[in-house]
Amino acid sequence: MELNKQNYKPIVFSGVQPSGVLHLGNYLGALEQWVQMQDKYNCIFCVVDYHAITVKQEPKELGRRILDVVKIYLAAGINPAKAVIFQQSNITAHTELAWILNCAVARLADMNKMTQFKEKGGEKESVSVGLYDYPVLMAADILLYNTDAVPVGDDQVQHVELARTLAQRFNREYGQVFKVPEVAVRKQGARIMGLDDPSKKMSKSANSAANYIALTDAPEVAAKKIRRAVTDSGSEIKYDVKNKPAIANLMTIYSLLTGLGFKELEKKYQGKGPAYAEASVGKYGEFKKDLAEAVKKFLIKFQLKYHSYSGDEVKRILKDGARQVRPVAEETLKKVKEKLGIN
Ligand code: TYM
């Protein structure tokens, strides 16, 4: 795709960090939504490597992980002929704008409200200043491209709201430059929970691999994780987030992967509780066995595509993506500098 001003379509921007393994939560909360948006909007999808280094990364692995994230975008169905894919560190305007926002409009009071920073260990001495400042870099990512909508999972909503606040504050104090973006969150799938603990989200930094289904997990391993996933008391398949959070989470995954609605699932498994249970999978046996199969089928197809791209192909896509977004980012940065009197 060429970013094209004549053929104006709303602009969508989002990104994923090349840190840790990407999992089903990333796919269902973000990537699947991106794929649906690429036909309607001017989509820009970034691999946010400068965000990844807010926590220590193994230098030898980081380069490979950046390319792997692009392969995951492609396997999910992002089409470089329709959407731009690029690497954050290739466009220096991101860090420049982040610094400017830090000084001009971001305030400690804003940053101290960020719940993700608090969760990630705001008290620890080893925590980097970058991790604290990460939402400002994210705001810079979004605001550079006159973004209309930012499709993310639930955990990033507060950060997109900060981007809105910073844009509005800058426009008010220095003059109009930034478009104020909207957040786009799916009704279902915005917060996929951990398989080992339905009170915590599925996360790439989880302590145990039983928490998540990695998009690169061997299909049989993933199926086993589903069969061993924590469930709730009772044996009925019922979508009830409050009383049956584990089953509600598994039903969400099932529904998104197969297109079956909650009511259909409830009906399909009505009365198939203990009588069908296998010793190894417990009282929700039939349901879990079918979900395990659905996950396996999804991963086999996904990974076939994932492995079909070469490193050179991916590097070409990133280079072409940077070429397309650079002028847009530089134009915004120029306007910002003019407003500050430092152009
Ligand atoms: P990251 O890399 O942690 O996650 C990528 C995307 O996956 C979503 N996600 C989930 N969705 C549903 N259930 C889950 N358990 C789950 N876990 C993760 C995230 O919400 C996200 O949409 N700061 C961002 C990356 C970023 C960005 C940006 C996003 C940097 N700049 C600009 C949008 C716009 C992050 O760390 O996402």
Side-chain angles (χ1 to χ4, degrees):
M1 182 198 75
E2 292 291 324
L3 281 175
N4 183 343
K5 282 188 189 161
Q6 271 95 49
N7 171 23
Y8 185 80
K9 290 188 209 163
I11 295 168
V12 165
F13 183 98
S14 200
V16 170
Q17 292 193 55
S19 57
V21 287
L22 264 68
H23 51 70
L24 212 48
N26 298 127
Y27 176 76
L28 297 175
L31 297 175
E32 200 183 29
Q33 195 185 184
W34 301 4
V35 174
Q36 290 160 2
M37 290 174 124
Q38 67 182 345
D39 289 319
K40 275 214 208 125
Y41 306 108
N42 260 327
C43 289
I44 308 174
F45 300 124
C46 186
V47 182
V48 291
D49 49 353
Y50 275 154
H51 276 97
I53 62 163
T54 56
V55 297
K56 194 161 184 355
Q57 301 293 329
E58 183 53 57
K60 281 201 192 97
E61 276 184 23
L62 186 57
R64 181 185 50 79
R65 281 198 172 143
I66 291 165
L67 302 183
D68 286 351
V69 170
V70 179
K71 289 185 191 175
I72 282 186
Y73 286 3
L74 298 171
I78 305 293
N79 179 350
K82 295 180 184 169
V84 179
I85 301 174
F86 79 103
Q87 183 179 337
Q88 186 186 34
S89 64
N90 282 346
I91 307 294
T92 53
H94 288 247
T95 39
E96 281 191 66
L97 181 59
W99 181 254
I100 292 173
L101 295 175
N102 272 335
C103 301
V105 281
R107 297 291 167 254
L108 286 180
D110 301 315
M111 308 309 291
N112 291 337
K113 287 185 199 141
M114 296 294 117
T115 51
Q116 196 171 71
F117 179 73
K118 288 182 202 162
E119 282 162 17
K120 282 192 173 176
E123 301 289 306
K124 285 189 214 145
E125 265 182 44
S126 59
V127 166
S128 73
V129 176
L131 188 67
Y132 181 68
D133 198 33
Y134 145 143
V136 177
L137 178 59
M138 179 162 161
D141 299 341
I142 297 166
L143 299 180
L144 276 175
Y145 300 100
N146 311 310
T147 301
D148 292 280
V150 187
V152 284
D154 205 36
D155 62 324
Q156 296 298 323
V157 170
Q158 195 186 29
H159 295 157
V160 180
E161 280 165 1
L162 178 73
R164 289 172 55 84
T165 303
L166 299 185
Q168 284 160 338
R169 202 176 284 160
F170 189 96
N171 290 344
R172 203 171 48 239
E173 292 181 18
Y174 295 90
Q176 180 67 36
V177 174
F178 296 123
K179 190 176 268 180
V180 180
E182 299 292 330
V183 67
V185 180
R186 295 183 97 180
K187 264 206 196 89
Q188 253 188 56
R191 182 173 280 262
I192 299 293
M193 309 310 280
L195 299 179
D196 57 346
D197 179 357
S199 70
K200 298 206 176 89
K201 66 167 187 162
M202 188 176 281
S203 164
K204 47 188 156 195
S205 51
N207 288 331
S208 158
N211 167 275
Y212 53 77
I213 302 281
L215 293 168
T216 47
D217 268 347
E220 196 40 63
V221 170
K224 204 180 265 173
K225 287 186 188 177
I226 293 287
R227 291 195 295 265
R228 291 192 177 158
V230 166
T231 49
D232 310 295
S233 57
S235 58
E236 200 189 354
I237 298 300
K238 191 165 181 299
Y239 186 78
D240 179 347
V241 178
K242 192 159 170 266
N243 298 307
K244 285 181 158 257
I247 291 299
N249 186 45
L250 294 178
M251 285 177 82
T252 301
I253 295 173
Y254 199 146
S255 174
L256 288 169
L257 290 183
T258 61
L260 292 170
F262 294 145
K263 287 277 164 255
E264 283 170 275
L265 290 174
E266 284 171 3
K267 210 164 142 213
K268 186 169 156 80
Y269 294 99
Q270 203 169 24
K272 293 197 175 178
Y276 287 77
E278 283 176 23
S280 61
V281 286
K283 51 194 187 292
Y284 295 99
E286 185 83 357
F287 168 80
K288 279 176 144 186
K289 208 166 84 194
D290 291 351
L291 173 56
E293 271 313 302
V295 168
K296 222 165 111 175
K297 206 167 134 197
F298 165 78
L299 287 181
I300 289 171
K301 203 168 150 213
F302 186 93
Q303 290 171 11
L304 210 63
K305 269 190 92 181
Y306 175 80
H307 290 297
S308 72
Y309 303 103
S310 71
D312 284 347
E313 217 172 339
V314 167
K315 283 179 196 161
R316 262 199 310 278
I317 290 170
L318 287 176
K319 195 168 166 204
D320 191 50
R323 180 188 62 77
Q324 292 185 64
V325 296
R326 189 171 288 114
V328 184
E330 284 178 356
E331 194 182 316
T332 306
L333 187 64
K334 184 164 171 267
K335 284 186 197 157
V336 169
K337 286 183 171 177
E338 272 164 12
K339 294 288 185 200
L340 288 166
I342 55 172
N343 202 22

